[in-house]
């Protein structure tokens, strides 16, 4: 059965690959279209480069010229005939370009078309810019649409690639050596790099040799070349099995006459009968033979010669009957197809004179010959079901094992029963009966099993499918020496016995022992034992010379066992040589200390001196520790009192650890006390206290000295000559109003400390008088605000602030309202219980203390004064608030009122659903939030604020818009000359927003590529001009609103054929539409609040034709040449801007539009508010 030419391509624009075989059987025939030229008398003007037939005797059978397999269009302009069209595709659609994704510009130099003589060489060069590429791009060379030339390299085809590091350019070359006639055709070069793609097509023309073409027999003409002769050529002949050529003694038979009189489904049988192997070349030539079609009496239109469909899709077979009453029968491979009620595989439809058979869910079983019989006549066709490439879903995993183990490689592909090929290092794995490799398949999973692995099995294994490959590395190593017990590192006390032991497999392997690389020989003290798998080295009494690295080496193995042996002796600290009582040493601060202590240990111990958690280093400057020989020392150049404490000596080595402690006591003068406190100040005296020093210098405190000075002076005066034992004192005889400071000295047996920090400056002063004019300013349900005047007499100490206190009437428990002093003369007491009565008092505070309180004469009732509510709608919410579908809506509406108002929201008279719209209310505003807006959220939202019987409302108009739907219908009203008149109806769904225009596109029926004719078109009818005569067009229209174009377009059901010149087109007369219209305001003015000093604008929109005259008026008086106002009018939108308005600019504003057909006006009220500041 002939196979159709492939037309489909993969979605990424690259052709499908089906060259590599997927099984161990013979490779499938390549998908190459061939043409067979008719005899000379039937083809007077051949255009193909193939040789022309020679005239022969009339009685001799006709000889035909041949053309070797070729995938693409030859260089001299001949186009291959396409035998399979698929789903009733008309032949004229074969020339339509296939849509490919947009290409990126990777190629800086593209291969150019070339011409070469038969037997000559030719080179094609492609260059790729590599400056912006991180790695080498992937380049593929194709012949025709799908033949990958990478698998055809050999003596006739060579591929080469180079990289210039200076210019950063990748160069790819394709060399064709000793070209043949069948090398002619179309070639393609594809470049891929990550998500970038580029492609270039070029042609190769192979000119015939000067010797005349000789006619040959058709059977020899279409026999393929054998693989042993032409291995590596561009056709598939090199893939076929080599056969011995036997002499043909059969008589000459006119195969042309047999093919002309045979049905297309019999071509394969005839070709096989007469030894024609190049079936595709035969079919291409047969397509060139002009056929005399007999007019059918039963069929007005027969089935196409062949159809092609993808596996899993459906196909429609359509015939048109000349006589609709005739009985019709469908056949598959000669068997009648009968409809069954429960089976939906075959569906038969009748549409007028058309009879349609639909085959659903096509499988490989549907790849067959179909025919339909109408009465005595019959027409046939071929259906080809194309399989999709098999892809590797789960790749094979790398394996690392040892010899004699079992290896199983697993791979999963996308389709059950798919044919795959296993490779090792690029060579196919033999899977015969005597092969070490076994292959099995379970559904979509394929396995390669190696039962007894050897080192020769190491390599890279891969699996190849028609849609991809997968590879992994297998590493097979020798079995290592088994070590059941390794040598262990040992640490032995000096004089103790030593035993080193290991256990290995096999047990009969002898070995040798080494110490520090020197062979160990047994003697009286060293014993070497080998019993079965155990090897042991024994030493009776350890010495320092036995320490080192021990190694056991089994004979015959490169592997060895090692361990380290250490000989140790624990350290000791010898404090007996010190003559200090209780190991305590006392020294006066400022002197030098050096303390030496003997130590011992093997190996030499590591010595660490520590004071608390701090380690004393050898590199210290003032305090350092030194260790040399058999003693360690601690040196302090200048002792300080911080050096007092316990010092710990820690000795460590591998044998153990030892430690000892030594106490050092440093005596010194005491620390100065902290700065004294002055808690109380009088007119000429004060009281002071202090804390004892933190450090007494190692000697008890005997007493304190007190000194005083004026703050502005630098001379201190001692107040006592006898030591004071207590920690408090009361200086006297100070001058009122003068700031003073005091300080303290501590005294012990060593001496007098440094002075303490001076106390905070204090001034002997008196308190102020009480505050005046205390009154109540405001009262709410929970707060009371009072205000007062400063005291009449403040004094030299000044005024630090005020303290506000209150108590509930009937009690004496005064509560402080402000924890911190307030400098203001107004304060709000919060947290009160509604309905209670309280008394309030205020005290003035300065450095001397609190003044006498000022108390309100009468109690205050805690109850809030009602303030009517007022909603302050933001300016942008006074007009319609528009958002797109999916966007968030977040509106904040402030309001005023006391006590806290109650806020409710209604939408179209109903309570807003809290599950769909989130609303949050505070004391001063209300927030409405929609996370993802939908069109159902559109509408008028009514906000109501209640305070007792007072109510205020506001309307918020929210509009949620979306993309519009396509126009309902598009029809072709008329066609004349190169013009087409289109009429359509507006879309049923405008996306909740006005339609602002339409986009009209056209497409030629041959290519069906859409081009935009006009955008933002407002009317529902249009005339498309400048169309090409002889073309047939389809049209489609998108609707557009403020969100954009509709997702889909409405296409004309019929096409418009632009007829040639000479035909008359009947024109229709149309009356011009009257677009005149009186003024009408589509958006009125809205009452507005403005803030004094900030610009305000008034907006409205008007529609009229002819264009109206717009006038603005304030309180019925026209606004003319006033510099405080600016007026704008754009596309019907009228705007009045008021610059920095004042309260006098408030009033009633009017916008009036006038034209010849009438007038209209709208009004609004403007209020200007003045901002106020609180006291």
């Amino acid at each position: 059965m002939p196979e159709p030419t492939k037309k489909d391509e993969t979605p990424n624009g690259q052709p499908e690959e089906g060259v590599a075989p997927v099984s161990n059987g013979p490779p499938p025939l390549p998908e190459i279209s061939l043409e067979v030229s008719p005899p000379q008398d039937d083809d007077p003007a051949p255009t193909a480069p193939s040789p022309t037939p020679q005239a022969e005797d009339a009685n001799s059978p006709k000889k035909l010229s041949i053309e070797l397999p070729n995938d693409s269009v030859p260089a001299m302009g001949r186009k291959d005939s396409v035998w399979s069209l698929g789903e009733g595709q008309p032949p004229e659609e074969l020339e339509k370009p296939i849509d490919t994704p947009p290409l990126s510009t990777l190629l800086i130099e593209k291969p150019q078309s070339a011409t070469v003589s038969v037997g000559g060489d030719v080179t094609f060069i492609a260059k790729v810019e590599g400056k912006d590429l991180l790695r080498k791009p992937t380049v593929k060379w194709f012949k025709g649409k799908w033949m990958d030339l990478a698998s055809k390299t050999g003596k006739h085809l060579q591929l080469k690639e180079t990289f210039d590091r200076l210019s950063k350019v990748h160069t790819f070359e394709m060399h064709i050596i000793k070209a043949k006639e069948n090398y002619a055709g179309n070639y393609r070069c594809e470049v891929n790099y990550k998500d970038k793609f580029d492609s270039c097509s070029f042609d190769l023309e192979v000119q015939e040799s000067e010797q005349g073409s000789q006619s040959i027999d058709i059977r020899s003409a279409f026999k393929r070349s054998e693989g042993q002769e032409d291995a590596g050529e561009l056709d598939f002949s090199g893939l076929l099995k080599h056969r011995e050529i036997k002499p043909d003694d059969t008589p000459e038979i006119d195969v042309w006459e047999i093919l002309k009189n045979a049905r297309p489904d019999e071509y394969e049988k005839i070709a096989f009968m007469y030894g024609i192997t190049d079936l595709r070349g035969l079919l291409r030539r047969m397509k060139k033979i002009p056929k005399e079609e007999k007019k059918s009496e039963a069929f007005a239109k027969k089935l196409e010669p062949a159809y092609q469909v993808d596996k899993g899709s459906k196909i429609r077979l359509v015939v048109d009957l000349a006589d609709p009453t005739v009985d019709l029968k469908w056949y598959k491979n000669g068997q009648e197809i009968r409809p069954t009620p429960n089976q939906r595989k075959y569906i038969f439809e009748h549409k007028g004179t058309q009879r349609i058979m639909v085959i659903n869910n096509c499988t490989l079983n549907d790849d067959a010959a179909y025919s339909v019989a109408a009465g005595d006549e019959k027409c046939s066709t071929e259906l080809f079901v194309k399989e999709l490439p098999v892809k590797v879903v789960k790749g094979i995993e790398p394996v690392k094992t040892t010899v004699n183990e079992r290896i199983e490689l697993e791979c999963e592909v996308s389709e059950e029963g798919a044919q795959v090929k296993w490779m090792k290092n690029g060579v196919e794995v033999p899977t015969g009966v005597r092969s070490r490799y076994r292959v099995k398949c379970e559904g979509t999973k394929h396995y390669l099993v190696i039962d007894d692995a050897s080192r020769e099995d190491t390599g890279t294994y891969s699996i190849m499918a028609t849609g991809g490959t997968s590879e992994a590395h297998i590493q097979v190593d020798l079995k290592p020496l088994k070590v059941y017990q390794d040598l262990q590192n040992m640490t032995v006390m000096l004089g103790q016995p030593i035993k080193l032991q290991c256990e290995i497999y096999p047990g009969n392997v002898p070995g040798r022992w080494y110490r520090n690389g020197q062979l160990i020989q047994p003697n009286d003290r060293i014993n070497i034992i080998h019993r079965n798998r155990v090897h042991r080295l024994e030493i009776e009494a350890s010495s320092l010379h036995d320490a080192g690295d021990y190694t056991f080496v089994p004979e015959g193995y490169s592997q060895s066992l090692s361990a380290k042996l250490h000989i140790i002796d624990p350290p000791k600290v010898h404090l007996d040589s010190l003559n200090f009582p209780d190991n305590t040493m006392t020294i006066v601060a400022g002197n030098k200390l050096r303390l030496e202590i003997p130590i011992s240990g093997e190996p030499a111990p590591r010595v660490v001196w520590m004071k608390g958690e701090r380690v004393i280093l050898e590199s210290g400057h003032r305090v350092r520790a030194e260790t040399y020989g058999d003693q360690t020392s601690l040196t302090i150049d200048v002792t300080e009192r911080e050096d007092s404490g316990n010092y710990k000596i820690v000795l460590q080595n591998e044998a153990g650890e030892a430690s000892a402690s030594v106490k050092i006591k440093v005596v010194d003068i005491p620390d100065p006390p902290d700065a004294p406190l002055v808690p109380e100040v009088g007119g000429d005296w004060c009281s002071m206290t202090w804390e004892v020093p933190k450090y007494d210098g190692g000697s008890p405190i005997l007493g304190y000295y007190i000194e005083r000075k004026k703050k502005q002076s630098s001379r201190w005066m001692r107040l006592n000559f006898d030591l004071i034992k207590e920690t408090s004192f009361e200086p006297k005889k100070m001058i009122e109003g003068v700031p003073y400071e005091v300080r303290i000295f501590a005294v012990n047996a060593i001496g007098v400390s440094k002075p303490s920090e001076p106390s905070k400056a204090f001034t002997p002063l008196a308190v102020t008088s009480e505050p005046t004019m205390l009154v109540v300013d405001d009262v709410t349900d929970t707060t009371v605000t009072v205000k007062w005047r400063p005291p009449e007499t403040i004094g030299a100490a000044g005024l630090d602030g005020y303290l506000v206190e209150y108590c509930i009437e009937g009690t004496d428990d005064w509560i402080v309202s402000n924890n911190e002093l307030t400098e203001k003369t107004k304060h709000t007491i919060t947290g009160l219980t509604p309905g209670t009565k309280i008394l309030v008092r205020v005290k003035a505070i300065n450095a001397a203390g609190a003044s006498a309180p000022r108390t309100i004469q009468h109690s205050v009732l805690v109850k809030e004064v009602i303030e009517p509510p007022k909603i302050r709608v933001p300016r942008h919410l006074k007009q319609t608030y528009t958002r797109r579908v999916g966007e968030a809506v977040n509106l904040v509406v402030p309001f005023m009122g006391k006590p806290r108002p109650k806020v409710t929201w209604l939408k179209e008279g109903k309570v807003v659903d809290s599950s769909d719209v989130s609303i949050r209310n505070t004391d001063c505003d209300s927030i409405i939030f929609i996370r993802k807006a939908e069109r159902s959220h559109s509408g008028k939202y009514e906000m109501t604020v209640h305070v007792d019987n007072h109510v205020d409302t506001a309307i918020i108009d929210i509009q949620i818009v979306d993309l519009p739907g396509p126009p309902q219908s598009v029809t072709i009203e008329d066609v004349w000359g190169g013009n087409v008149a289109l009429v359509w109806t507006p879309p049923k769904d405008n996306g909740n927003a006005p339609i602002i225009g339409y986009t009209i596109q056209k497409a030629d029926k041959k290519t069906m590529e859409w081009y935009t004719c006009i955008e933002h078109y407002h009317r529902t009818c249009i005339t498309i001009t400048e169309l090409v005569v002889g073309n047939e067009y389809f049209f489609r229209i998108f609707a557009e609103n403020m969100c954009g174009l509709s997702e889909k377009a409405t296409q004309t059901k019929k096409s418009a054929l632009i007829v040639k010149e000479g035909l008359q087109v009947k024109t229709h007369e149309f009356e011009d539409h009257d677009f005149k219209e009186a003024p009408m305001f589509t958006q009125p003015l809205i009452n507005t609040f403005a803030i004094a000093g900030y610009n305000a604008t008034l907006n409205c929109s008007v529609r009229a034709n002819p264009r109206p005259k717009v006038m603005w008026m304030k309180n019925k008086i026209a606004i003319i040449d006033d510099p405080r106002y600016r007026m704008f009018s754009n596309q019907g939108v009228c705007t009045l801007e008021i610059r920095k308005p004042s309260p006098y600019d408030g009033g009633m504003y009017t916008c009036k539009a006038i034209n010849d057909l009438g007038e209209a006006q709208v009004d609004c009220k403007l209020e200007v508010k003045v901002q106020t500041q609180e006291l």
Side-chain angles (χ1 to χ4, degrees), residues 835-896:
T836 60
K837 293 183 178 181
I838 63 172
L839 295 174
V840 183
R841 69 182 184 184
V842 180
K843 296 180 181 179
I845 308 298
N846 67 357
S851 69
R854 169 67 69 178
T855 307
I856 294 179
Q857 298 180 357
H858 304 286
S859 61
V860 180
L861 177 63
V862 181
K863 185 177 181 181
E864 186 172 15
V865 180
I866 297 176
E867 179 181 343
K870 183 65 175 178
I871 301 176
R872 305 185 66 178
V873 180
R875 182 179 302 175
H876 69 282
L877 296 181
K878 294 181 180 179
Q879 300 177 357
T880 302
Y881 184 79
T882 305
R883 279 291 181 271
R884 295 188 178 185
V885 171
E887 294 183 348
V889 177
N890 189 10
L891 305 180
V892 180
V893 182
F895 55 81
M896 301 170 56

Side-chain angles (χ1 to χ4, degrees), residues 878-920:
K878 294 181 180 179
Q879 300 177 357
T880 302
Y881 184 79
T882 305
R883 279 291 181 271
R884 295 188 178 185
V885 171
E887 294 183 348
V889 177
N890 189 10
L891 305 180
V892 180
V893 182
F895 55 81
M896 301 170 56
K898 290 184 179 181
R900 178 174 178 173
K902 179 181 179 183
V903 181
T904 58
W905 285 87
L906 299 177
K907 178 186 176 185
E908 308 297 344
K910 297 181 180 179
V911 179
V912 177
D913 186 5
S914 60
S915 63
D916 195 19
V917 179
S918 177
I919 297 177
R920 183 174 66 85

Side-chain angles (χ1 to χ4, degrees), residues 665 668-670 693 695-704 746-751:
K665 184 177 180 181
D668 197 1
I669 60 175
Y695 177 67
D696 60 0
S699 179
I701 299 296
L702 302 179
Y704 303 93
V747 181
N748 68 354
I750 306 301

Side-chain angles (χ1 to χ4, degrees), residues 894-1082:
F895 55 81
M896 301 170 56
K898 290 184 179 181
R900 178 174 178 173
K902 179 181 179 183
V903 181
T904 58
W905 285 87
L906 299 177
K907 178 186 176 185
E908 308 297 344
K910 297 181 180 179
V911 179
V912 177
D913 186 5
S914 60
S915 63
D916 195 19
V917 179
S918 177
I919 297 177
R920 183 174 66 85
N921 300 322
T922 64
D923 294 340
C924 59
D925 58 27
S926 180
I927 301 174
I928 180 170
F929 177 73
I930 303 174
R931 186 174 299 278
K932 290 185 178 181
E934 299 178 359
R935 292 177 59 179
S936 59
H937 294 140
S938 300
K940 296 184 180 295
Y941 290 75
E942 181 180 357
M943 177 183 175
T944 306
V945 181
H946 299 266
V947 176
D948 289 346
N949 298 328
H950 302 278
V951 180
D952 192 13
T953 60
I955 303 297
I956 307 297
D957 189 5
I958 298 178
Q959 182 181 6
I960 307 301
V961 297
D962 198 1
L963 294 176
Q968 297 187 41
S969 63
V970 180
T971 58
I972 298 175
E973 188 73 12
D974 196 4
V975 180
W976 73 96
N979 308 313
V980 173
L982 301 178
V983 178
W984 63 92
T985 56
K988 186 177 181 180
D989 180 14
N990 62 355
N992 203 21
I995 299 298
I996 61 175
Y998 300 91
T999 297
I1000 298 93
Q1001 294 182 347
K1002 66 179 180 180
D1004 190 356
K1005 184 177 180 181
K1006 295 180 180 179
T1007 61
M1008 288 308 292
E1009 293 184 359
W1010 294 97
Y1011 298 94
T1012 301
C1013 300
I1014 189 170
E1015 296 178 332
H1016 313 302
Y1017 189 76
H1018 297 280
R1019 300 183 183 178
T1020 58
C1021 60
I1022 191 174
T1023 300
I1024 306 300
T1025 61
E1026 298 181 0
L1027 299 176
V1028 180
V1029 176
N1031 288 359
E1032 191 172 357
Y1033 293 91
F1034 285 96
F1035 300 90
R1036 67 180 183 184
I1037 300 177
F1038 294 86
E1040 182 180 7
N1041 65 2
M1042 62 183 298
C1043 293
L1045 293 177
S1046 60
E1047 295 181 352
K1048 298 181 179 179
T1050 303
Q1051 182 178 333
T1052 57
K1053 296 182 179 180
K1054 298 181 180 180
S1055 60
L1057 178 61
I1058 309 303
V1059 298
K1060 297 181 179 180
E1061 295 181 357
L1063 299 181
Q1064 296 181 355
V1065 180
K1066 183 179 179 180
T1067 59
H1068 298 276
E1069 295 181 357
F1070 297 94
E1071 295 181 359
D1072 293 338
H1073 179 71
D1074 187 7
F1075 290 97
K1076 294 183 178 180
E1077 182 182 5
M1080 181 180 67
F1081 283 91
T1082 59

Side-chain angles (χ1 to χ4, degrees), residues 372-392:
V372 57
D376 297 332
E377 291 193 24
K378 190 175 184 181
C379 62
S380 303
T381 185
E382 289 276 350
L383 176 61
F384 297 93
V385 180
K386 183 175 69 174
E387 287 187 275
L388 298 177
V390 178
K391 297 182 179 179
V392 177

